[in-house]
Amino acid sequence: MLDVFLILMGILCLITGLAGCFLPVIPGPPVAYAGLLLLHFTDKVQYSATQLLLWLLIVAIVQVLDYFVPMLGSKYSGGTRWGTRGCLAGTLIGLFFMPWGIVLGPFLGAFIGELFGGRETRQALKSGLGSLFGFLFGTVLKCVLCGYFAWEFASALL
């Protein structure tokens, strides 16, 4: 009976984790990882300590990258410190205007930051688009990780 409860809670965590890839208020990969932990505590499957620690490390890396990839996108698309700092400010301000603020915040922050730094509109737009592509890359990375966790969960039960 406890196994059924843990499995159902694990499924709920995986679904919530997948939703968290798109909803910024939910930390997707950590919630999906919690689903795997719940399955680990059943009699159905036992993951090794190495697997669990490796997955935890990957989750931590993805969570950290999720905040820095938009700034790196801005930087590597020709942005300056102004754009990088604007991207960070836009990300933080965007948190208050969910859900679109989290998508548009880094873009607008990098764009406006570059304009304040004296860059031309075209260069500022390129930096802003770099941060947007960085954000989209981070979202895809989270989806891949949560999808892998869901696959691990399903394959362990079958």
Side-chain angles (χ1 to χ4, degrees), residues 29-30 53-69 141-142 145:
L53 289 174
L54 180 64
W55 290 337
L56 181 61
L57 177 65
I58 292 170
V59 165
I61 290 170
V62 167
Q63 284 301 107
V64 169
L65 282 178
D66 190 40
Y67 290 102
F68 290 107
V69 168
L141 196 61
K142 290 188 298 187
L145 183 59

Side-chain angles (χ1 to χ4, degrees), residues 59-127:
V59 165
I61 290 170
V62 167
Q63 284 301 107
V64 169
L65 282 178
D66 190 40
Y67 290 102
F68 290 107
V69 168
M71 289 183 284
L72 292 174
S74 173
K75 180 180 178 181
Y76 288 112
S77 63
T80 62
R81 271 191 236 174
W82 283 93
T84 304
R85 290 178 182 158
C87 182
L88 178 61
T91 300
L92 295 175
I93 292 169
L95 293 173
F96 296 104
F97 300 99
M98 302 262 196
W100 293 107
I102 200 71
V103 176
L104 294 176
F107 168 75
L108 291 174
F111 179 73
I112 293 169
E114 291 293 349
L115 289 178
F116 278 142
R119 304 285 289 234
E120 294 180 13
T121 304
R122 184 174 183 192
Q123 293 168 325
L125 184 61
K126 185 177 176 185
S127 176

Side-chain angles (χ1 to χ4, degrees), residues 5-23 26-40 42 45 47 52 55 59 142-158:
F5 175 74
L6 290 174
I7 290 170
L8 290 175
M9 291 303 296
I11 291 170
L12 184 62
C13 283
L14 286 168
I15 292 169
T16 304
L18 284 169
C21 293
F22 303 102
L23 301 171
I26 302 170
V31 174
Y33 178 74
L36 282 179
L37 280 178
L38 289 171
L39 182 63
H40 174 73
T42 66
V45 66
Y47 296 113
L52 293 173
W55 290 337
V59 165
K142 290 188 298 187
C143 288
V144 167
L145 183 59
C146 288
Y148 172 73
F149 286 164
W151 177 79
E152 276 291 330
F153 192 97
S155 64
L157 290 179
L158 297 178

